[in-house]
Amino acid sequence: MSVNILGIESSCDDTSAAVISDGCLKSNIIASQKVHEAYGGVVPELASRAHQQNIVPVVSEALRQAGIGMSDISAIAFTRGPGLLGSLLVGTSFAKGMSIGLNIPLVDVNHLHAHVLSHFVRKSPDDEVPEFPFMCLLISGGNSQIVVASSPSDMRIVGKTIDDAAGEAFDKCAKVMGLPYPGGPHIDRLASAGNPKAFRFSKPHIPELDYSFSGLKTSFLYTLRDNLKDNPSFIEDNKEDLAASLQSTIIDILLDKLSKALDRYPVEHVAIGGGVSANSGVRNAVDEFCRRKGVKAWIPERAFTTDNAAMVAAAGYFKYLDKKFCDLSLPPYSRVSM
């Protein structure tokens, strides 16, 4: 009998459900929320209300596309945290109710673990996956971490941001340039036509393997302020070069610490994950970095870089095989270290 894991993701503003059968992806449905664009960022109350509206049709469509019924589900894997508490409550409550109604096990998933394990979303049994131990550069709007994964359940953070994350730097700098939310994809698009050496922005000098992006953000703001005094159209005249220089600086910061981490914790496989891993410049730079270092690069499909239930179901599949089930009394959590 097949092992069918229903994954549910509701940590922020995307409602997603996916089905993995015997380790292979059968469906992955995502309902994105456009309501936040007018506010320049995610509004938690609006996000949780949208999850309530979306979760039933999203789960139903995931099961339909997977070709299975409720009685075929072996277990439900859900994102328990970290994330927006109101959004997590919707997914957690739905998963618990479904678990009780169907009398099947419940598996709680750490959202950050799921991003690291997104490379184990197989579409067929022959798909290659990273070999343990591997290193993952986890980069998103809320997290910038270097993680050494020794197994699906044994992950160690060896470097992390002490302030802003890489995704925050992209989005906040994009906002002051007048670009729509989320700004990261717009920076990526503009950067492809710009000169990455046109402007120089400050780089942090943080000890060990930790990151910092607040200084870069401040340097970017000062550059705009100083030039706008004499040229009110400075941003519009230089938007491609500003984007390219910003993106290049962020990539340099990310890869500098990744290189040091690889020297300290030598592995043969290096992966990236999280929303910022969809950035074209980051993807190309990591691929070239790994070639120079003589390690295998794992660059995820863009569909698995943003918040999605496929990675949740993949992480849940590992926990199901290990019989690591979740008690119904466990609440969601907004913050946690791995």
Side-chain angles (χ1 to χ4, degrees), residues 67 91 104 124 146 200 219 232-233 241 244 255 258 269 291 300 311 337:
I104 56 177
S124 77
I146 301 174
R200 294 185 62 184
S219 176
S233 63
D241 288 346
L255 294 188
L258 182 61
H269 294 246
R291 278 200 294 269
M311 66 183 190
S337 63

Side-chain angles (χ1 to χ4, degrees), residues 28 63-64 67 77 89 101 124 133 143 161 166 185 188 194 205 208 220-221 251 268 279 286 293 299 306 313 318:
N28 185 38
L63 294 175
R64 188 193 69 80
L89 277 168
S124 77
N143 297 278
T161 183
D188 189 20
H205 299 282
E208 297 299 317
F220 186 85
L221 292 174
I251 290 171
E268 296 183 358
N279 179 281
V286 169
K293 287 286 190 177
I299 312 295
T306 54
F318 283 117

